[in-house]
Amino acid sequence: MADERQGRTSRAMQLAHKHVVVLVSLCAGLLVFLLLTTREVNARNLLAGWNVSAVVFIAATWWRMLRASVETIRKKSEDLDFSDSLLLFLSISAALASIAGIGLELHSVKDVTPSVALTRALVAIVTILISWVFLHTLFTVHYAHRFYGGSEKGEGLKFPEGRREPIYWDFLYYSFTIGVASQTADVATTSVTMRKLTLLHSILSFLFNTTILALAINVGASLL
């Protein structure tokens, strides 16, 4: 019994160490929610916590990515497991929920004063930008880890110029190209697993960009 409990504790510690950036981001958002808001569970307060969490995640992830070598990426990808897929699902859900929160915030924008309406519009714009960058940063990390740590190591994406050991810059290029154009440009997908992930990313990008356009039209109409 003691060994089983110790094993669960050890596993929890490993997961915490593996996803330390996520945990720090969540703690930062929670602190903002508890210390800098009214603590009411409403769209405005939740968006404040979300924005801080997402910004911390983006900053920490980019800082680590831009300093990482191929060996670092390969080592990070060695312990790819179910928690990575679960985290991807939860993170995507959170990003989509943030867009829903923006919709709730802007729903009654015509009933408030112009200054309040402008503030809500600015918050909406900032949240959209943060959520957009967060989504594609998240997929960047997942592409890299799938490439180096999946069942077909070193396969799945074929970069131009015969590059066989891509770094995070290459995966950033691939991910954000899908984000802005919903296409893979000059990078070829060569495995079913990577095609599934790319398909999911493309669909989410289309939905995200369409929602952004709809919200932009709504904000513009509300401020007229």
Side-chain angles (χ1 to χ4, degrees):
M1 188 70 176
D3 291 340
E4 184 179 348
R5 188 181 300 111
Q6 185 177 2
R8 287 198 298 266
T9 302
S10 176
R11 177 58 177 165
M13 292 294 292
Q14 290 176 0
L15 285 174
H17 182 266
K18 178 181 178 181
H19 300 301
V20 63
V21 172
V22 177
L23 292 177
V24 171
S25 303
L26 289 174
C27 289
L30 183 60
L31 283 174
V32 167
F33 178 80
L34 294 176
L35 300 178
L36 301 180
T37 71
T38 60
R39 299 186 185 179
E40 296 179 12
V41 182
N42 56 41
R44 189 174 310 166
N45 292 341
L46 292 176
L47 285 177
W50 160 256
N51 284 340
V52 171
S53 291
V55 167
V56 171
F57 176 86
I58 292 168
T61 301
W62 276 68
W63 183 77
R64 296 174 71 176
M65 284 195 301
L66 300 185
R67 297 170 63 250
S69 63
V70 172
E71 290 303 320
T72 303
I73 305 172
R74 187 177 284 114
K75 184 177 180 180
K76 181 71 175 176
S77 305
E78 287 177 353
D79 56 352
L80 190 70
D81 59 17
F82 175 73
S83 67
D84 294 86
S85 298
L86 178 61
L87 182 62
L88 178 66
F89 171 76
L90 293 176
S91 299
I92 291 171
S93 299
L96 295 177
S98 72
I99 301 301
I102 293 172
L104 292 175
E105 272 292 277
L106 297 177
H107 179 67
S108 58
V109 73
K110 288 186 176 181
D111 301 326
V112 298
T113 62
S115 60
V116 174
L118 180 60
T119 300
R120 290 189 181 183
L122 291 175
V123 170
I125 292 171
V126 170
T127 302
I128 287 171
L129 291 174
I130 290 173
S131 298
W132 187 86
V133 175
F134 171 85
L135 181 68
H136 303 306
T137 299
L138 183 71
F139 270 97
T140 296
V141 175
H142 214 71
Y143 283 129
H145 292 178
R146 284 292 174 188
F147 183 87
Y148 283 108
S151 57
E152 301 173 348
K153 294 184 178 181
E155 300 292 336
L157 292 176
K158 185 177 181 181
F159 291 88
E161 301 174 356
R163 191 176 183 91
R164 294 189 175 275
E165 293 188 328
I167 57 176
Y168 276 122
W169 272 116
D170 298 298
F171 296 107
L172 279 167
Y173 166 76
Y174 181 73
S175 181
F176 277 81
T177 298
I178 293 175
V180 299
S182 295
Q183 64 173 340
T184 59
D186 55 350
V187 181
T189 54
T190 60
S191 73
V192 175
T193 300
M194 202 64 78
R195 289 191 189 101
K196 289 179 180 179
L197 188 61
T198 301
L199 176 61
L200 173 63
H201 189 189
S202 299
I203 293 172
L204 288 172
S205 295
F206 175 77
L207 293 175
F208 212 94
N209 293 342
T210 303
T211 303
I212 289 174
L213 179 61
L215 287 174
I217 294 173
N218 184 48
V219 170
S222 300
L223 295 177
L224 291 178

